[in-house]
Amino acid sequence: LGMLQNTLSAMRDEFAPEETHEVAVPSAPKFEYDVFVSHASDNKQSFVDSLSAGLGRLGIKVWYDSSILDWGDDWKSKIKEGLSKSRFGIVVLSPQFIGREWTTKELTELLNRQNGRHEKVVLPLLYDLTVDDMRAKYPDLAPIQARPIREDEDAKDVVIDFARILIRALKGGG
């Protein structure tokens, strides 16, 4: 994990925008967060808390409601803002995720961004759910490669896989 953390840090430095006095040319959107974690609250303790913590330990900038939302915040506007400011969305699909109003809104927003920009945004993660279940409940996800969580793995395996995707994106490879 230390090597991935160093690689991510070096990549951020290498691809950081330089100050210039030239006329600005429109470019890819800049993001405050590397990833938005969309999930059902029921899955926090069993998986999502460890996923978010592991991403954070690597220096990945995570929008995760438990670490972002404060007492008294307008959570609806904070979620909308987080979605718009995140490069990727890890969507932890589970039986508890299906049919919830806000998980569905988050997924829809991420899919709209992906379809509008024609680049990878949505990263479906299957937690106690099969690919067939995902396709039946969310047909728009059918063409997107999902990542199942095997019984013998934990959040750190997903963290490593996401770090690889982020490194490729920072290099300009999607």
Side-chain angles (χ1 to χ4, degrees):
L1 287 178
M3 273 185 14
L4 280 173
Q5 188 174 24
N6 292 339
T7 302
L8 282 168
S9 180
M11 296 289 297
R12 284 188 202 291
D13 293 343
E14 181 180 341
F15 294 101
E18 296 179 18
E19 286 192 39
T20 180
H21 298 291
E22 297 175 22
V23 175
V25 176
S27 62
K30 303 294 180 221
F31 297 102
E32 185 174 332
Y33 302 99
D34 297 315
V35 65
F36 181 100
V37 180
S38 178
H39 64 286
S41 296
D42 295 347
N43 300 132
K44 281 184 185 299
Q45 287 185 332
S46 61
F47 181 76
V48 186
D49 285 343
S50 343
L51 173 64
S52 177
L55 292 165
R57 279 192 297 276
L58 274 185
I60 294 170
K61 298 172 188 167
V62 182
W63 196 103
Y64 181 50
D65 60 358
S66 292
S67 57
I68 299 290
L69 296 176
D70 287 325
W71 187 6
D73 280 346
D74 176 347
W75 60 270
K76 290 179 183 181
S77 65
K78 287 278 197 179
I79 288 172
K80 288 177 184 178
E81 180 181 337
L83 286 163
S84 70
K85 292 182 175 184
S86 298
R87 167 67 181 93
F88 292 102
I90 293 178
V91 181
V92 183
L93 295 163
S94 68
Q96 296 82 12
F97 183 98
I98 295 171
R100 296 241 171 122
E101 178 185 5
W102 273 91
T103 57
T104 301
K105 285 182 180 189
E106 291 167 3
L107 176 57
T108 300
E109 177 60 29
L110 292 166
L111 281 168
N112 287 340
R113 282 192 32 229
Q114 178 161 312
N115 294 334
R117 292 200 325 243
H118 305 292
E119 61 184 56
K120 185 187 310 191
V121 175
V122 180
L123 302 171
L125 187 60
L126 303 178
Y127 185 68
D128 292 332
L129 201 69
T130 67
V131 171
D132 290 337
D133 291 337
M134 175 194 78
R135 290 178 179 152
K137 299 296 182 184
Y138 300 103
D140 290 342
L141 290 176
I144 299 172
Q145 182 66 36
R147 186 201 188 283
I149 299 172
R150 296 182 314 273
E151 287 183 30
D152 64 333
E153 68 181 347
D154 60 23
K156 74 176 184 242
D157 298 307
V158 177
V159 168
I160 291 167
D161 286 350
F162 177 74
R164 289 183 182 129
I165 288 171
L166 183 58
I167 288 169
R168 280 195 301 270
L170 290 170
K171 285 183 176 179

